[in-house]
Amino acid sequence: MVKRRIMCVLLTVQLLVGLVPAALAAPAETGETVTILFTHDMHSHLLPASDETGKSYGGFARLKTAIDQQKLLHPDALLVDAGDFSMGTLFQTIYADQASELRSLGALGYDAVTFGNHEYDYRAAGLASMLNAAADSGEPLPAIVEANYKPPVEGQEGYDQDAAAVWTAFDRCGVEDYTVIERGGVNFAVFGIMGENSDACAPMSGMILEDPIDTARQVVEQIQAEVPEPRVVVCLSHSGTSENKASSEDEKLAEKVDGIDVIVSGHSHTTLEEPIYTNGTYIVSAGEYCKNLGVLTLNREGDNLSQADYQLVPIDDSLAESEAMDAQIESYKDLVEESYLMQFGGLTFDQVLVNNPYSFDSVDDLYAQHRESALGNLIADSYRWAVRQAEGEDGVPVDIALTAAGVIRESLPVGELTASDVFNVSSLGIGADGIPGYPLVSVWITGEDLKNAFEVDASVTSLMPAAQLYVSGMSFTFNPHRMLFNRVTQCAQILEDGSEIPLQDDKLYRVVTGLYCGQMLGAVNEKSFGILSITPRDAQGNEITDLEAYILHDENGNEIKEWYALASYLADMGTVSPEYSSPDGRKTVDDSWSLTHLLSNPNGITLAVLAIVVVLILVVVLLIRRCVRRHRRKRR
C-alpha cells in the first residue's frame, strides 16, 4: 500500500512537471477559443510499438496521460477520432467479441468517432457483433457518427440478415449522421464521412456509399438549420489527403462544401505539421498508430475562426503510463492469448521468437521507393517455407511466392521480435474459417501471366505504391523509362541451386500468395486498362473463380495464416539470417536511357506507339515539304 502511494505521488509530480512547458507554449484558455484534440488510423495500437530502428512510440496508457495533460490546459476541449481505430495488432483478434478498441476509446474519454474502412474487415456481421459487444459491456462509449456509409434498408438490393443486424447495432449504439456536443458554451456539431478510396478498400463491407460531397453538403445545411450558434462544425472524414491534388479527397471536400470549420482527416496516414486551410476549413492530420495526439486551438470572433495554436504531441516513452488504462489493456492481452493465440501452438503475446540484428525498410520506405526490399523478400520466402513444412518433401514444389506492399502493415524492429511484433506485419483480414488473419492460397499461373504481374509492378507502382510486388523463387528486371506495360525486360525462375532459367510463356507455375493478394490478381485487367490480364488456374489449367477453395492448410487441417508462416519461419532461424541483411537481386531496376535498352523486345503496345510516331513524323515531313514548295512558288 505504501509503495502504491509513493508511486501515485511520483506520477502526479511527473504529470505536473510535464505540464510546465506545455502551459508556457499554450495560449490562454478563454471563452473566445475552442480546442479540438484528435487522432485517426490507430489500428488497434493499444500497446507501445517499436519502429524499424527500435524506437518506441504510441500506446493508449501513454495517450491517456497526454489527453489528461491537454484537458488540464483546455478543460472544454473536444476529443475525436477519424476512423480505422481497429485492425493492426493482435487486439483485433477480439474485435468482434470484445470490442477492445471501441471500449478503450470510451475509457480514454473520446467524445465522438467515425468508422474507417478497416472497421469492416470482418464484414457487416463482424461490425454488428463488435458494436453489440461494446453496448453489452455497459462501459462509457464515444458517440459514433457516420453519414454516408450505411447498410441497405429493407426492400433495397443487398439487404440481408447481416444488414439487418448492423441496423440493430446502430440503434443500440446510437450511430447518427451527426451529433452535438456542448462545451464551454459552444456547440460542436460533429459528423462522419467515408471517402471513395476508403470504400474501394472495403469491398466486402456490405455498405452503400453515398456521394461524400453531396452528403456532407446536406448534413452541413441540416446542422445550420438545427444547431444554434455559437457552433463549430467538425467533419470526421475517413477520406485522406495527398500531395497529388487530384486524389486529395478531403481537400476537395473542403473546397466544395461551405460551412465546415474543421476536417479531421484519416485514411491516408498523413502527418500534417501545419493544417491545410482552404475555403474557411482547417484540415488536420496527426499520423497513424497513435504516434501523436493532435491539438488544434482556434480563436473565435463572432462567426469567424482563426488558428491560435496547432501541435502534434508525440506519444512516446517521455510520457508516464496511466495505471488504469494499462490494467485494462493487460486484461485484453489475456483474452487474446486465451481465445486466439492458443490455436497457434500456445504462443503468448510477448513470446520472443527470434533476434533481429538488421534494420529493415519502414512501410513508408516501401511506398516511397520502387525497388527490391529485404523485408519483402523475407515475407515471400516465409510463404514457400511454410508450404514445404506443411506438405513435406513429397509435396508439389512452389515455384514462386509473392506479396505486395499494400498488405505489409509494419516493419520488423531491431532486437528481439515477439509474436505480437510479427503479427503486426501481416495483420489484415480473416479467413474462410472465420479466424483472423488472411490465409495463404495456392494457384497455377502461366509464364505469360506472371510476366504481366511483373509488368503491373513495373508500370503501376508509381501511381499505386500498394501494388509493388516482392517475390521468392523468381527474378525480373524492368526499365522505368520504357513504354508503359512494356517495361519488364527479363523474367526468370530461380532454381534451388541458385541458377536461373527464363520463364516459358505457356508453362504453368505453382504460385503461393495471401488470399487478399490473390483476389487482387483479378484486378490486373482493370488496372492495366484491359491491356494485361492474369488468370489464376488449377493444376490442370482450368480457370479458378473461387480462391477460397484453394486455401492452404497445415497437417492438422488449419489454414496457414500469412502472419504465422512468417512467425514460424523466423522462429526456425533463432537469429534472422544474414541473407536478409540486404536485397539479393531478385528485382533489378535498369535505369538506362540507351535506345537499345528502351526499344529492345517491343510488345504490341510499343510497336503501336512507334507506328503512330512514325506516321506523325511522316505527316510533319510532308507538311514541311508542302510549305517549302508553296514558298518557292511565291518567290518565283
Side-chain angles (χ1 to χ4, degrees):
M1 180 65 72
V2 174
K3 288 184 178 180
R4 182 175 292 274
R5 288 177 178 173
I6 293 173
M7 285 299 297
C8 289
V9 171
L10 291 175
L11 286 172
T12 302
V13 170
Q14 183 174 353
L15 176 62
L16 292 174
V17 170
L19 283 174
V20 172
L24 292 175
E29 186 72 42
T30 72
E32 299 305 315
T33 64
V34 294
T35 297
I36 300 170
L37 311 179
F38 61 91
T39 56
H40 52 88
D41 298 295
M42 293 202 288
H43 288 287
S44 304
H45 278 64
L46 278 62
L47 284 172
S50 298
D51 64 17
E52 61 280 358
T53 67
K55 182 181 178 181
S56 176
Y57 65 86
F60 279 20
R62 295 172 180 171
L63 177 61
K64 182 67 166 67
T65 300
I67 290 170
D68 289 346
Q69 290 178 349
Q70 292 300 321
K71 287 289 186 72
L72 284 174
L73 295 171
H74 310 287
D76 295 324
L78 184 75
L79 177 59
V80 294
D81 184 89
D84 271 5
F85 49 79
S86 62
M87 305 299 152
T89 73
L90 276 168
F91 292 108
Q92 75 182 56
T93 64
I94 56 173
Y95 167 84
D97 297 327
Q98 299 294 330
S100 56
E101 298 91 348
L102 187 58
R103 290 165 62 190
S104 294
L105 293 180
L108 287 167
Y110 274 78
D111 296 301
V113 302
T114 193
F115 298 130
N117 53 285
H118 283 287
E119 270 68 79
Y120 301 89
D121 276 8
Y122 296 168
R123 308 186 185 186
L127 176 69
S129 179
M130 184 275 291
L131 291 174
N132 286 322
D136 290 341
S137 72
E139 298 172 6
L141 300 174
I144 304 172
V145 288
E146 180 57 73
N148 71 319
Y149 206 59
K150 301 174 183 178
V153 297
E154 188 172 0
Q156 191 174 11
E157 182 180 356
Y159 181 82
D160 55 17
Q161 63 180 11
D162 289 339
V166 173
W167 281 118
T168 300
F170 275 13
D171 288 340
R172 290 195 68 195
C173 290
V175 179
E176 300 286 352
D177 291 356
Y178 78 92
T179 189
V180 180
I181 301 166
E182 189 275 331
R183 290 287 162 77
V186 176
N187 292 313
F188 289 94
V190 186
F191 71 100
I193 287 292
M194 180 73 76
E196 293 179 351
N197 184 265
S198 295
D199 171 52
C201 293
M204 305 302 291
S205 70
M207 303 296 113
I208 295 176
L209 178 74
E210 301 292 343
D211 184 83
I213 291 172
D214 289 345
T215 303
R217 190 176 289 119
Q218 293 167 12
V219 173
V220 170
E221 289 174 356
Q222 185 178 357
I223 288 171
Q224 291 172 338
E226 298 175 351
V227 180
E229 295 279 8
R231 65 169 175 258
V232 176
V233 179
V234 179
C235 176
L236 305 182
S237 175
H238 202 75
S239 305
T241 57
S242 171
E243 293 180 1
N244 178 7
K245 298 298 183 183
S247 57
S248 191
E249 291 190 44
D250 278 327
E251 287 189 75
K252 291 180 181 178
L253 181 66
E255 291 165 359
K256 295 184 178 182
V257 180
D258 298 333
I260 302 176
D261 296 308
V262 177
I263 295 177
V264 180
S265 177
H267 183 57
S268 55
H269 291 202
T270 305
T271 303
L272 290 175
E273 299 297 337
E274 285 295 330
I276 297 171
Y277 185 72
T278 181
N279 191 28
T281 302
Y282 292 92
I283 304 172
V284 295
S285 292
E288 75 281 12
Y289 299 163
C290 194
K291 291 178 179 176
N292 300 295
L293 172 65
V295 184
L296 173 67
T297 299
L298 301 172
N299 289 321
R300 187 167 57 84
E301 300 175 6
D303 294 338
N304 298 318
L305 295 171
S306 60
Q307 181 178 329
D309 189 45
Y310 179 76
Q311 301 177 52
L312 299 179
V313 179
I315 308 303
D316 56 26
D317 52 14
S318 67
L319 292 167
E321 295 190 355
S322 160
E323 288 189 8
M325 201 71 228
D326 185 61
Q328 181 171 334
I329 294 168
E330 286 297 320
S331 70
Y332 290 145
K333 284 176 62 175
D334 292 341
L335 290 172
V336 168
E337 291 180 350
E338 294 168 8
S339 65
Y340 184 73
L341 287 177
M342 285 299 294
Q343 303 170 78
F344 298 92
L347 283 177
T348 59
F349 205 102
D350 298 317
Q351 182 175 334
V352 175
L353 301 179
V354 67
N355 179 57
N356 173 37
Y358 307 114
S359 180
F360 286 109
D361 291 323
S362 68
V363 173
D364 288 341
D365 291 335
L366 297 182
Y367 274 71
Q369 302 176 34
H370 190 185
R371 57 170 173 76
E372 184 183 359
S373 164
L375 176 62
N377 291 350
L378 170 63
I379 295 170
D381 285 349
S382 74
Y383 296 173
R384 296 178 75 201
W385 181 90
V387 176
R388 281 198 298 269
Q389 298 302 305
E391 298 181 351
E393 296 299 324
D394 296 331
V396 178
V398 176
D399 297 310
I400 178 173
L402 58 85
T403 189
V407 299
I408 302 175
R409 306 301 292 178
E410 283 197 38
S411 185
L412 291 170
V414 172
E416 293 183 335
L417 302 181
T418 65
S420 175
D421 293 325
V422 178
F423 182 89
N424 293 355
V425 175
S426 302
S427 58
L428 294 181
I430 193 167
D433 57 1
I435 297 174
Y438 277 129
L440 297 180
V441 296
S442 173
V443 297
W444 295 79
I445 297 177
T446 65
E448 181 179 10
D449 281 2
L450 279 174
K451 291 178 183 177
N452 287 342
F454 300 146
E455 278 292 355
V456 172
D457 175 292
S459 297
V460 175
T461 294
S462 58
L463 302 173
M464 186 179 175
Q468 182 168 193
L469 298 178
Y470 308 103
V471 298
S472 173
M474 293 278 172
S475 70
F476 67 99
T477 301
F478 71 93
N479 187 323
H481 309 306
R482 285 170 62 95
M483 192 67 61
L484 199 67
F485 302 125
N486 191 200
R487 292 180 174 175
V488 175
T489 56
Q490 174 271 337
C491 294
Q493 181 181 5
I494 303 175
L495 303 180
E496 290 296 329
D497 61 5
S499 61
E500 297 188 9
I501 57 174
L503 290 187
Q504 301 175 37
D505 285 352
D506 57 354
K507 180 180 177 180
L508 284 171
Y509 295 86
R510 190 186 184 198
V511 178
V512 168
T513 187
L515 176 61
Y516 184 79
C517 285
Q519 291 169 335
M520 289 301 100
L521 291 175
V524 169
N525 186 62
E526 175 188 348
K527 297 301 180 184
S528 65
F529 311 105
I531 296 170
L532 305 175
S533 66
I534 298 176
T535 303
R537 303 177 186 276
D538 61 21
Q540 289 71 45
N542 302 307
E543 183 176 351
I544 290 172
T545 56
D546 179 16
L547 275 179
E548 290 191 353
Y550 294 85
I551 289 173
L552 290 168
H553 299 80
D554 63 19
E555 60 275 13
N556 298 317
N558 302 312
E559 290 184 356
I560 304 176
K561 303 293 186 180
E562 289 183 79
W563 80 268
Y564 192 59
L566 177 60
S568 302
Y569 185 47
L570 290 170
D572 188 66
M573 294 182 195
T575 298
V576 175
S577 171
E579 68 181 287
Y580 299 112
S581 61
S582 61
D584 57 14
R586 305 180 194 188
K587 180 159 65 173
T588 304
V589 181
D590 174 13
D591 205 36
S592 172
W593 284 95
S594 163
L595 281 177
T596 303
H597 286 223
L598 295 177
L599 299 178
S600 61
N601 299 318
N603 64 7
I605 301 169
T606 299
L607 290 173
V609 171
L610 288 175
I612 292 171
V613 170
V614 170
V615 170
L616 289 175
I617 292 173
L618 289 173
V619 169
V620 170
V621 169
L622 290 172
L623 288 174
I624 291 173
R625 289 184 63 183
R626 180 174 294 181
C627 289
V628 169
R629 288 175 180 173
R630 287 181 178 178
H631 181 65
R632 287 176 178 173
R633 289 171 184 169
K634 287 181 179 179
R635 289 185 63 185
R636 289 174 183 170

